[in-house]
Amino acid sequence: MAAALIWIPLLSGLLTELGVTKAQQTILHPLVGRVFVHTLDHETFLRLPEHVAVPPTIPVTYQAHLQGHPDLPRWLRYTQRSPHHPGFLYGTPTPGDRGRQVIEVIAYNRDNFDTTRQRLVLLIGNPEGPLIPYQAEFLVRSHDVEEMLPSTFASRFLTALGGLWEPGDLQLLNITSALDRGGRVPLPIEGRKEGVYIKVGSASPFSTCLKMVASPDSHARCAQGQPPLLSCYDTLAPHFRVDWCNVSLVDKSVPESADELPTPGDGILEHDPFFCPPTEAPARDFLTDALVTLLVPLLVALLLTLLLAYVMCCRREGRLKRDLATSDIQLVHHDTIRGNTEELRQMAASREVPRPLSTLPMFNIRTGERLPPQVDSAQVPLILDQH
């Protein structure tokens, strides 16, 4: 009975968790060659009643990965500015990514350490409508990637770009942070942003203004530090500060000719009259080289050893030469000092003068008495009492 009372709450909690997990599953439909953006809101993951608003001070972080793998697919990226901001999953799937992919997202509440799991089922398919052969990529230096991912800013950018291009059929193809393209992290100064690369496609040809911006003359002016050629009004300013020197245009409307494609060969180089490699290498005897390499350093070391031994052992002056070079007066003076010192030492050792009483152990200055030798000096205080 007690075991049943324990298992019933556990099973009910497990069923509740399974129900929550099933409710947290979301099905999305990304398209090949089109940008995909999914926002990870705090309201979706925090288990709060419907009538209760999510406090903006609750920090939540996310961790996303492909089901059965430790990381995300190669076409999908995750970013979040801070735990108080929402997270984003964004990217552009390729034709090789077509199919079904399951992304598992775990949200961490940094206040109470609560975790919530959500499954995103991505059904990647082909886009409908006409092809987009004309593609242009812009570098927007006035925004971060988190600011351009919401649909509001993306729509505003396409609307502003309509003044430079054929409006109506512009589509967003890809959004990439400038840091992923080798850009540098900006200094923590107000107004400095990381930068975003935005790729836009259209079925309409490029306008004359865009062609002039991407012309070789404009690139030459940019290399000299001058602004590029812009024959039309910049409709993107002042909301979007575009680096017009980093605009690239791709025209896929003209198919590549088959003659320009490389043809695989058999792997054998053609005959070149200017390159004649040797067919056989002549035999060489390395004994002479080895002897020169070993014997020459040994002979030099032996010669230096002999020279050092001759200088140190055979060129010594000796004591006799030193005495001959010293004057007789100095020698007599030196011998006199040594003799007088020895005589004083002998006289001091032979004198029989009693030691002063003050130098004897345990001497009483006031009475002049000494302690008998049978008294243990360790039990006698150093300073006797004065009567």
Side-chain angles (χ1 to χ4, degrees):
M1 186 64 181
L5 294 177
I6 294 175
W7 280 101
I8 289 175
L10 293 177
L11 292 176
S12 61
L14 179 61
L15 293 176
T16 303
E17 292 293 333
L18 291 176
V20 171
T21 304
K22 185 177 180 180
Q24 291 291 330
Q25 181 171 327
T26 305
I27 299 177
L28 302 174
H29 298 273
L31 300 177
V32 174
R34 303 293 188 274
V35 66
F36 166 76
V37 179
H38 179 69
T39 306
L40 304 177
D41 295 323
H42 296 354
E43 295 83 357
T44 307
F45 291 89
L46 295 178
R47 300 175 182 177
L48 298 177
E50 297 181 357
H51 61 278
V52 178
V54 177
T57 58
I58 296 181
V60 179
T61 57
Y62 305 93
Q63 182 181 4
H65 63 90
L66 182 64
Q67 188 179 26
H69 297 78
D71 206 351
L72 290 171
R74 59 182 180 179
W75 66 272
L76 195 61
R77 293 186 178 90
Y78 163 76
T79 183
Q80 185 182 14
R81 178 57 58 179
S82 68
H84 299 283
H85 293 80
F88 294 95
L89 290 173
Y90 68 100
T92 302
T94 61
D97 300 320
R98 190 185 297 108
R100 182 177 183 271
Q101 296 181 356
V102 180
I103 306 299
E104 294 184 353
V105 182
I106 302 176
Y108 298 90
N109 189 339
R110 296 302 180 180
D111 281 346
N112 54 11
F113 303 100
D114 188 16
T115 59
T116 307
R117 185 184 301 270
Q118 184 183 30
R119 297 178 60 192
L120 303 177
V121 181
L122 306 182
L123 303 179
I124 305 174
N126 293 324
E128 299 179 356
L131 299 178
I132 303 178
Y134 302 97
Q135 302 176 5
E137 190 175 51
F138 305 90
L139 174 57
V140 182
R141 295 191 178 276
S142 58
H143 289 73
D144 293 331
V145 65
E146 295 87 358
E147 300 174 350
M148 295 299 301
L149 291 177
S151 58
T152 305
F153 288 89
S155 302
R156 188 180 302 173
F157 181 81
L158 294 179
T159 303
L161 185 61
L164 303 176
W165 205 347
E166 184 75 20
D169 57 351
L170 298 179
Q171 296 188 23
L172 203 61
L173 302 183
N174 191 15
I175 297 178
T176 307
S177 174
L179 301 182
D180 298 335
R181 297 284 190 90
R184 296 184 177 181
V185 179
L187 296 175
I189 303 176
E190 185 178 0
R192 297 292 184 91
K193 300 292 184 177
E194 297 174 357
V196 188
Y197 283 94
I198 301 178
K199 180 181 287 188
V200 181
S202 176
S204 302
F206 300 116
S207 62
T208 307
C209 180
L210 293 179
K211 291 181 180 179
M212 184 175 296
V213 170
S215 63
D217 296 338
S218 295
H219 291 308
R221 291 174 60 89
C222 291
Q224 297 176 0
Q226 301 178 3
L229 299 175
L230 189 63
S231 60
C232 55
Y233 177 71
D234 186 4
T235 58
L236 295 172
H239 303 289
F240 302 97
R241 184 165 55 88
V242 178
D243 187 358
W244 293 107
C245 291
N246 284 279
V247 176
S248 60
L249 304 180
V250 178
D251 186 2
K252 296 184 178 181
S253 60
V254 180
E256 297 181 358
S257 60
D259 298 338
E260 298 180 358
L261 297 177
T263 56
D266 53 1
I268 301 177
L269 298 177
E270 298 180 357
H271 176 69
D272 188 0
F274 299 101
F275 177 70
C276 298
T279 56
E280 296 181 359
R284 293 184 59 185
D285 186 10
F286 295 97
L287 179 60
T288 305
D289 299 339
L291 293 177
V292 171
T293 305
L294 297 176
L295 294 181
V296 170
L298 292 177
L299 292 177
V300 172
L302 180 61
L303 181 61
L304 293 177
T305 304
L306 294 177
L307 180 62
L308 181 62
Y310 172 74
V311 171
M312 297 186 63
C313 301
C314 302
R315 298 287 296 176
R316 299 187 63 180
E317 296 180 352
R319 184 176 178 181
L320 178 61
K321 185 176 181 180
R322 183 194 63 186
D323 294 343
L324 294 176
T326 307
S327 61
D328 296 339
I329 299 176
Q330 186 176 357
L331 291 176
V332 172
H333 180 66
H334 179 69
D335 293 339
T336 304
I337 294 176
R338 293 186 58 185
N340 296 338
T341 304
E342 294 293 337
E343 185 178 358
L344 289 175
R345 289 179 178 177
Q346 293 177 2
M347 293 174 62
S350 60
R351 63 182 178 180
E352 296 181 357
V353 179
R355 295 176 57 186
L357 296 178
S358 58
T359 61
L360 297 178
M362 304 307 295
F363 173 73
N364 193 337
I365 300 177
R366 186 172 61 86
T367 60
E369 298 179 352
R370 295 177 56 190
L371 292 178
Q374 66 271 15
V375 178
D376 188 4
S377 61
Q379 303 296 331
V380 179
L382 296 178
I383 301 176
L384 299 177
D385 296 335
Q386 309 243 343
H387 299 288

